[in-house]
Amino acid sequence: MLNRLYFIFLLVPFLFLSCYDSNGDTEKSATLPIYQDTPYLQDYSVKYYFNSSVSPKKVFEDRNGVVQVLGKNGLYRTSAGQFLVDGTLIADNTYRPLKDKSLNGISLFQDQFVYVDDKAVLSNAWAGNLFLPHDLENANLLEPGSNFDFLISDGKELQFLSKDKAPWKGTVEDGNIIQIRYGHEANVFWILGKNSVSTFDASNNQIKTIKINNEATSFDVVGAKLYIGTQNGYFTVDSELNGKPSDLINKLPVPSITWIESIDEEIWFGSDEGAYRMDIDGDFNYYYGKRWLPGNKVVHISSGHEGRVHILTDNGLAQIHFDPMTLADKAAFYEKQVRDRHIRLGFNASLVDLKNGDVNSGRLDDSDNDGLWTSMYLASQVYRYKVTGNEEALKNCYESMEAMERLFTINDVPGFPSRSFERSGYIESLHDSDRWQHTDDPEWDWKSTTSSDEAIGHIFVYSVMAELLENDLRERAITLIDTLMGHIVKNDYYLVDFDGKPTTWGKWNPEYVNARPIMVGDRKINSSNIIAMLQTAYHFTQKEVYKEKAFDLMNNHGYFENLMRPMSEIGKAPEDADDWSKMLSEGWNHSDDEMYFLGYWGLYRYALNDTLKTKFKESIIDHWESERPEKDGAWNLLTAVCETQNFDLDEAAWYLREHPMDMRSWDVKNSHRKDLTFIEPNFRDQTTEEVLPPDERQVQRHNANMFRLDRTGGDGSEEYSAGDIWLLPYWLGRYLGVISEPRLNKE
């Protein structure tokens, strides 16, 4: 209870300051669909680790919110955990006499802890009056009945104990008792054996047994069925033990099942490789790795208060929380994450070198794409300010704009934006140290070799500022559009570095672009981006040179044909192509997707005439059609800029809802899953028919392959910023009016 309340209290000030001040204008269109931002259940994990080697058995939470874990050496309880800050499981010394008992089993009766040791079933509740002696010295299975009745077992024999009824002792046919459940409606105990399922009726001490062909590992009662787990899936049996067991169902994330627990109309499964839950539609949510669990071998699962689910693993306990939240609530949480830990000199930056995932141990990192990631975050704050009028958003705009402007002034190349800058003395520890240059100021260094994705990011955000803001930032943005595009036009469509040579990727010149075979993606992306940038420059500066250059490239150098080429024609270069073209087309370039969609803002909105606008819309939607399987929130919402009704709004909202609140780089693994439908290797590197939800794959930016299934070596050492990954699509959706203000109830 305290952990959950702490998390909610952490959020509350930001929810009311940031989420409900939505009085500004948005670009609403009656023709576009609108996602109503009503509360959904957001899951996140609070983890507790053992300090020493423990063989955990069970976990339960009593009516007071106390959580106890039973291990081989007694009881443990949770200490000090909260979201993003791991807690520990420490020895529970609350009741000193329990330390001297050989506790082997634990359960709940009337939401109170009940134990079994080598002598009795006992509890500290009810003034300690519950004490039922038994003679199963190694009893470790304990299941409460209806009225202070208990069935216990040592794995071989059964013993029934009651305050009001005579004791009973017996066994089941196969003699290997794994688990016991009680059904209040049927008023019987179900007993799972290794190769059998039995019922015990305490009213007449009768046992009914059926044999099963598959070796069982765990079971639970769900309505009129028993769900029985095995090492290769699960099957069902009628709870009356009538009829034939179902066929084995093993198209599961992990068929090797260690535990089954029915919680709130969903069925949870534990395995040696994480946990997963199956909803009423048969869909799975998979919880793997340290984003969710202290260890991947699941020992036990139980329900907690306020919708929490306890997952006990070999290495500790995970509490999976499900809190009602709107997208606006989530945005407020991410806004604080960015401001707390992800602003470096005004740039939107990653936090790296985390020790065991501790967000308080990391350092802010420089990036090749400081300008790009910051442009995406800065655009989100412009949209936010336009929608809400929030003064903090405007302050964020000013701070990041200063960093973006200094990229141009910290070097002495006219109109050339640096990749990044940092205080001097750290070059050797920075990314690509050979690209860093000294400035005239001994205090500062700057990074050269700026790329085309940086350039399109600059033009994108400056155009957003120039269009939507009405303060001095507008003129400053227009100045930078003209500064950058003036450099590119003056240098024959190249970004020319400090050494007088074009950078590796800053090339839009026809001689370079058209040297690529028509199926090579760089020919299309470079044409699309440069036309978008020239149109943007003309729109805001009204300098004829930019319009003339755009028409010249389209009419005389094939750039219109290049950018209109269908995505279905993009592929690998032929065998007789040059090595550079072959390298560029080894596979689908997801960074190109990011460049395309950021460029589409200017390509469509600032088209030089209505005919071009119609054609550009056709090209954008063609690209979007090829991207639809990825269900990327940013791509879907940037497509909505084209004023098309169909841009997969539901999938964009799904992306925003399903994105993990934990943005650390934990290892993930999905390639082993049996519930996925894999497809043959292909140019796009799409691995499965359906993309996984964001909270089941690695945290990644929009320029990565959403179909990548595994990540190893991360281990929580980096925390990504939500500024570009999440806040950009959310606030764009709010600005476009396709995501509503937060609503408490559906309308």
Side-chain angles (χ1 to χ4, degrees):
M1 171 71 81
L2 290 179
N3 293 329
R4 181 175 187 276
L5 289 178
Y6 181 91
F7 181 75
I8 293 174
F9 290 152
L10 184 70
L11 287 181
V12 164
F14 305 99
L15 302 189
F16 286 95
L17 288 175
S18 300
C19 297
Y20 296 96
D21 54 350
S22 304
N23 298 317
D25 294 332
T26 59
E27 186 169 284
K28 294 180 180 178
S29 171
T31 64
L32 296 181
I34 300 175
Y35 171 77
Q36 298 298 332
D37 188 16
T38 56
Y40 66 96
L41 291 180
Q42 175 67 53
D43 51 353
Y44 61 91
S45 178
V46 178
K47 297 175 299 232
Y48 301 85
Y49 287 81
F50 290 113
N51 286 326
S52 59
S53 179
V54 174
S55 296
K57 299 179 180 181
K58 297 285 179 67
V59 57
F60 289 102
E61 180 177 358
D62 76 358
R63 61 183 293 269
N64 303 307
V66 175
V67 176
Q68 283 190 340
V69 171
L70 178 64
K72 66 178 181 180
N73 295 319
L75 295 172
Y76 298 80
R77 64 184 297 154
T78 56
S79 174
Q82 64 189 57
F83 181 53
L84 298 182
V85 181
D86 296 334
T88 56
L89 288 163
I90 61 174
D92 190 337
N93 298 315
T94 310
Y95 285 92
R96 185 172 59 182
L98 290 183
K99 298 281 291 182
D100 298 326
K101 294 185 177 296
S102 299
L103 301 182
N104 289 318
I106 183 174
S107 190
L108 287 180
F109 177 63
Q110 296 180 353
D111 286 333
Q112 302 276 19
F113 292 125
V114 180
Y115 315 100
V116 62
D117 67 359
D118 55 344
K119 296 181 175 63
V121 170
L122 66 149
S123 177
N124 291 315
W126 309 289
N129 283 319
L130 177 61
F131 189 87
L132 300 173
H134 66 77
D135 56 11
L136 297 180
E137 183 179 357
N138 297 313
N140 54 62
L141 299 178
L142 166 65
E143 183 68 11
S146 59
N147 186 27
F148 290 95
D149 299 337
F150 302 89
L151 189 62
I152 65 172
S153 175
D154 59 1
K156 297 295 182 181
E157 293 185 280
L158 294 163
Q159 190 163 1
F160 174 75
L161 305 171
S162 174
K163 294 182 70 173
D164 302 320
K165 301 175 184 176
W168 170 90
K169 195 172 183 180
T171 187
V172 295
E173 289 185 20
D174 73 11
N176 293 285
I177 300 168
I178 297 171
Q179 193 179 343
I180 307 171
R181 296 280 191 180
Y182 180 74
H184 289 271
E185 292 184 7
N187 200 30
V188 297
F189 291 92
W190 283 281
I191 303 148
L192 182 66
K194 187 175 182 180
N195 294 106
S196 68
V197 183
S198 305
T199 59
F200 171 69
D201 187 342
S203 66
N204 55 23
N205 293 341
Q206 294 295 308
I207 288 182
K208 177 182 178 180
T209 300
I210 64 168
K211 293 184 178 180
I212 55 177
N213 295 326
N214 300 288
E215 291 189 3
T217 57
S218 179
F219 82 133
D220 200 0
V221 185
V222 185
K225 291 183 179 180
L226 304 181
Y227 280 68
I228 301 174
T230 75
Q231 290 293 324
N232 189 33
Y234 74 88
F235 61 94
T236 62
V237 175
D238 186 290
S239 61
E240 297 292 331
L241 301 188
N242 297 320
K244 182 180 178 182
S246 74
D247 293 335
L248 203 61
I249 299 169
N250 52 25
K251 193 173 176 59
L252 307 170
V254 184
S256 179
I257 296 169
T258 59
W259 194 263
I260 298 179
E261 192 77 20
S262 175
I263 301 174
D264 295 334
E265 297 185 341
E266 295 183 324
I267 304 175
W268 286 77
F269 298 85
S271 77
D272 287 337
E273 294 189 275
Y276 50 97
R277 60 185 171 96
M278 182 173 69
D279 64 23
I280 57 177
D281 296 322
D283 296 325
F284 296 105
N285 288 81
Y286 185 41
Y287 298 87
Y288 174 94
K290 291 183 179 180
R291 175 185 297 159
W292 298 108
L293 308 174
N296 283 318
K297 185 174 182 179
V298 177
V299 177
H300 183 230
I301 300 173
S302 65
S303 62
H305 292 188
E306 300 176 325
R308 287 190 295 269
V309 173
H310 301 291
I311 302 178
L312 183 61
T313 76
D314 56 340
N315 204 34
L317 171 67
Q319 291 182 341
I320 310 298
H321 292 240
F322 295 88
D323 285 353
M325 187 176 289
T326 63
L327 293 182
D329 295 338
K330 196 169 185 176
F333 175 82
Y334 282 143
E335 294 286 358
K336 187 174 187 299
Q337 183 243 23
V338 175
R339 303 313 300 181
D340 275 356
R341 300 190 292 276
H342 292 281
I343 300 299
R344 183 186 74 86
L345 300 171
F347 292 121
N348 174 42
S350 292
L351 197 67
V352 300
D353 293 345
L354 276 63
K355 305 299 187 292
N356 299 317
D358 181 1
V359 295
N360 296 309
S361 67
R363 65 173 178 85
L364 288 165
D365 199 24
D366 71 287
S367 165
D368 261 10
N369 292 318
D370 274 341
L372 176 60
W373 309 142
T374 304
S375 73
M376 297 170 77
Y377 169 62
L378 177 50
S380 80
Q381 298 306 288
V382 176
Y383 294 134
R384 178 186 173 199
Y385 178 69
K386 184 67 175 178
V387 170
T388 68
N390 184 284
E391 288 298 320
E392 288 301 315
L394 184 59
K395 290 178 183 178
N396 298 341
C397 291
Y398 274 102
E399 183 174 0
S400 288
M401 184 57 166
E402 288 184 9
M404 297 291 282
E405 287 174 322
R406 197 176 185 204
L407 289 172
F408 288 85
T409 61
I410 200 166
N411 69 71
D412 58 5
V413 183
F416 183 84
S418 310
R419 281 189 182 272
S420 186
F421 54 82
E422 184 54 276
R423 296 186 185 278
S424 60
Y426 297 94
I427 285 181
E428 292 76 11
S429 65
L430 299 175
H431 289 299
D432 302 315
S433 58
D434 58 316
R435 298 183 181 182
W436 285 83
Q437 312 299 322
H438 297 299
T439 71
D440 294 336
D441 184 344
E443 183 69 17
W444 293 95
D445 296 321
W446 68 280
K447 193 172 189 179
S448 61
T449 71
T450 305
S451 65
S452 54
D453 49 356
E454 292 286 290
I456 194 63
H458 280 275
I459 297 300
F460 162 69
V461 72
Y462 301 148
S463 67
V464 172
M465 298 175 77
E467 181 176 342
L468 303 185
L469 297 181
E470 298 176 357
N471 51 34
D472 63 304
L473 288 176
R474 180 179 190 276
E475 294 307 316
R476 289 162 66 178
I478 293 173
T479 296
L480 290 184
I481 292 173
D482 195 25
T483 298
L484 176 54
M485 294 311 298
H487 172 98
I488 292 172
V489 169
K490 178 183 177 181
N491 289 287
D492 204 15
Y493 306 114
Y494 289 109
L495 272 179
V496 176
D497 214 334
F498 72 98
D499 57 3
K501 299 177 182 179
T503 65
T504 301
W505 301 110
K507 299 174 179 177
W508 303 271
N509 182 280
E511 183 178 340
Y512 171 82
V513 171
N514 290 331
R516 312 278 77 79
I518 62 172
M519 75 289 295
V520 176
D522 270 44
R523 184 161 177 161
K524 178 178 170 71
I525 180 60
N526 286 20
S527 298
S528 179
N529 274 185
I530 193 62
I531 298 303
M533 292 191 290
L534 288 167
Q535 287 186 158
T536 300
Y538 173 71
H539 181 85
F540 289 106
T541 70
Q542 290 297 294
K543 291 184 177 180
E544 290 293 324
V545 62
Y546 296 127
K547 180 169 70 172
E548 292 168 0
K549 293 295 184 181
F551 277 122
D552 177 58
L553 290 175
M554 287 190 286
N555 294 334
N556 301 322
H557 297 281
Y559 278 37
F560 178 77
E561 180 183 352
N562 288 344
L563 72 88
M564 290 298 299
R565 183 163 291 110
M567 280 293 173
S568 60
E569 297 181 13
I570 303 301
K572 292 187 176 183
E575 287 299 320
D576 60 353
D578 62 283
D579 290 342
W580 188 255
S581 294
K582 289 180 180 178
M583 181 277 294
L584 290 173
S585 60
E586 290 175 346
W588 193 263
N589 191 325
H590 298 277
S591 287
D592 282 0
D593 293 327
E594 188 166 61
M595 294 164 62
Y596 276 118
F597 278 97
L598 294 182
Y600 288 158
W601 175 272
L603 188 68
Y604 179 77
R605 290 173 86 86
Y606 314 132
L608 295 173
N609 56 53
D610 288 342
T611 300
L612 285 175
K613 194 170 190 177
T614 299
K615 297 301 291 184
F616 293 158
K617 179 176 180 178
E618 176 186 324
S619 177
I620 293 168
I621 292 177
D622 170 75
H623 184 189
W624 170 74
E625 287 283 357
S626 70
E627 295 298 321
R628 294 181 74 180
E630 292 194 358
K631 301 183 181 180
D632 184 280
W635 304 166
N636 287 338
L637 291 164
L638 282 163
T639 300
V641 171
C642 295
E643 302 169 283
T644 175
Q645 286 191 341
N646 185 15
F647 56 92
D648 286 350
L649 175 60
D650 288 344
E651 305 294 11
W654 170 86
Y655 170 91
L656 295 171
R657 290 193 308 269
E658 293 292 326
H659 203 279
M661 297 183 71
D662 184 346
M663 300 281 280
R664 291 173 291 182
S665 58
W666 298 116
D667 291 355
V668 298
K669 183 181 177 184
N670 291 289
S671 58
H672 63 294
R673 292 174 59 168
K674 305 302 181 184
D675 62 320
L676 304 181
T677 302
F678 295 89
I679 63 177
E680 293 297 319
N682 54 80
F683 181 68
R684 292 186 62 90
D685 292 328
Q686 181 174 338
T687 53
T688 55
E689 282 190 358
E690 292 286 332
V691 71
L692 291 170
D695 62 355
E696 294 181 22
R697 58 183 190 242
Q698 67 177 19
V699 174
Q700 57 193 32
R701 295 186 170 94
H702 300 287
N703 65 340
N705 181 7
M706 302 299 172
F707 283 93
R708 183 180 176 186
L709 297 175
D710 300 341
R711 171 174 180 158
T712 57
D715 202 30
S717 62
E718 178 177 6
E719 184 186 54
Y720 285 80
S721 168
D724 51 294
I725 295 174
W726 200 93
L727 292 177
L728 173 64
Y730 171 74
W731 285 114
L732 173 59
R734 288 289 304 275
Y735 165 69
L736 294 174
V738 299
I739 297 175
S740 78
E741 298 177 10
R743 305 190 188 284
L744 296 180
N745 299 297
K746 292 184 178 180
E747 295 182 354

